[in-house]
Amino acid sequence: MAGKPKLHYTKGRGKMESIRWLLAAAGVEFEEEFIETKEDLEKLRNDGVLMFQQVPMVEIDGMKMVQTRAILSYIAAKYNLYGKDLKERAWIDMYVEGTTDLMGMIMYLPFQPADTKEKNLALIIERATTRYFPVYEKALKDHGHDYLVGNKLSWADIHLLEAILMAEECKPDILSAFPLLQAFKGRTSNIPTIKKFLQPGSQRKPPTDEKFVAIVRKIFNI
């Protein structure tokens, strides 16, 4: 029997958090080896296990996988969360790219200079409510199903829920104009594997704070 996937990253969300979400939603137990110092990162680089000298890195099925998108698509395909055919996969990809863009904006907010944070937070809220969330609201309305693609839970749904919860940390009532997304959030949050991941004590990481920003800057020399 293959061992549990092992995730190599810092103790924060960053680019690994979506990988944690996807594995948890698939009901897959995983281990984490945290990078806590610059030396930890250098050791991985010197051991030759980081193809492009970067993390995230996930040990899974005998591979040492890097590049977030490659890791996520592998997990989605392996655990039947990637549609039934090429067209469904294309739709999942498009939806995931949209939520990736939005989450990227939110992810980098704590690392931005204090004098630009307010402006960038306003931009995140504006983009979420005028560019991204209307697309998902319309998709759910047009086909009338519980899930975005193929009326079955997919990577796209898991990614969207993660994005919704991140956006709500920026503005708690951000879904006020999106009743179908509110219902979607309620449904998907209650899927047993996801519900478990959302409980205190899970491997889900907290929002990035100033203390963690300082640690990341030190590890990655930024």
Side-chain angles (χ1 to χ4, degrees):
M1 183 183 161
K4 296 175 187 175
K6 186 185 279 188
L7 283 48
H8 296 262
Y9 202 66
T10 61
K11 269 188 179 172
R13 287 183 181 176
K15 292 190 171 186
M16 188 64 91
E17 191 69 358
S18 292
I19 296 165
R20 296 181 185 113
W21 264 89
L22 196 56
L23 285 168
V28 180
E29 291 184 6
F30 58 88
E31 297 172 353
E32 299 193 82
E33 196 158 303
F34 295 117
I35 296 165
E36 300 185 75
T37 64
K38 204 170 174 177
E39 290 70 33
D40 291 342
L41 180 61
E42 281 308 310
K43 186 181 185 309
L44 284 175
R45 286 173 172 164
N46 294 335
D47 287 349
V49 296
L50 302 180
M51 189 184 287
F52 301 109
Q53 308 291 307
Q54 295 170 314
V55 288
M57 190 269 277
V58 174
E59 296 184 56
I60 184 170
D61 295 342
M63 296 183 288
K64 290 180 170 65
M65 291 196 73
V66 296
Q67 298 293 43
T68 311
R69 169 85 204 193
I71 297 165
L72 285 165
S73 56
Y74 181 82
I75 293 165
K78 180 178 170 74
Y79 295 105
N80 201 23
L81 293 165
Y82 210 179
K84 71 177 188 300
D85 56 31
L86 204 53
K87 277 192 175 178
E88 284 195 359
R89 187 169 288 200
W91 278 104
I92 290 166
D93 283 340
M94 287 191 284
Y95 288 141
V96 163
E97 290 297 331
T99 38
T100 299
D101 289 347
L102 176 58
M103 287 194 284
M105 294 175 73
I106 299 170
M107 193 190 307
Y108 291 117
L109 187 65
F111 293 88
Q112 291 166 352
D115 59 345
T116 65
K117 273 187 188 170
E118 201 172 312
K119 185 178 80 173
N120 286 316
L121 177 60
L123 180 64
I124 287 165
I125 293 164
E126 188 261 326
R127 288 276 167 85
T129 54
T130 63
R131 178 178 293 189
Y132 295 110
F133 289 162
V135 169
Y136 303 102
E137 181 82 5
K138 184 178 186 299
L140 292 168
K141 184 180 181 184
D142 286 352
H143 60 44
H145 296 154
D146 285 349
Y147 302 111
L148 287 170
V149 180
N151 201 21
K152 179 178 182 289
L153 182 70
S154 76
W155 174 19
D157 303 298
I158 298 157
H159 222 240
L160 176 56
L161 178 60
E162 183 188 0
I164 286 170
L165 297 181
M166 284 177 76
E168 287 183 332
E169 288 168 357
C170 295
K171 187 174 190 283
D173 66 346
I174 201 162
L175 288 187
S176 58
F178 304 101
L180 296 181
L181 285 183
Q182 290 175 39
F184 170 88
K185 176 193 160 189
R187 274 196 308 277
T188 49
S189 297
N190 276 300
I191 292 166
T193 52
I194 295 175
K195 189 174 185 179
K196 185 180 175 186
F197 188 61
L198 293 173
Q199 298 300 314
S202 80
Q203 286 164 294
R204 187 180 178 217
K205 302 299 179 269
T208 300
D209 58 16
E210 285 184 21
K211 187 181 172 188
F212 182 67
V213 168
I215 292 167
V216 169
R217 289 194 190 282
K218 202 170 177 183
I219 293 171
F220 295 100
N221 204 21
I222 51 174

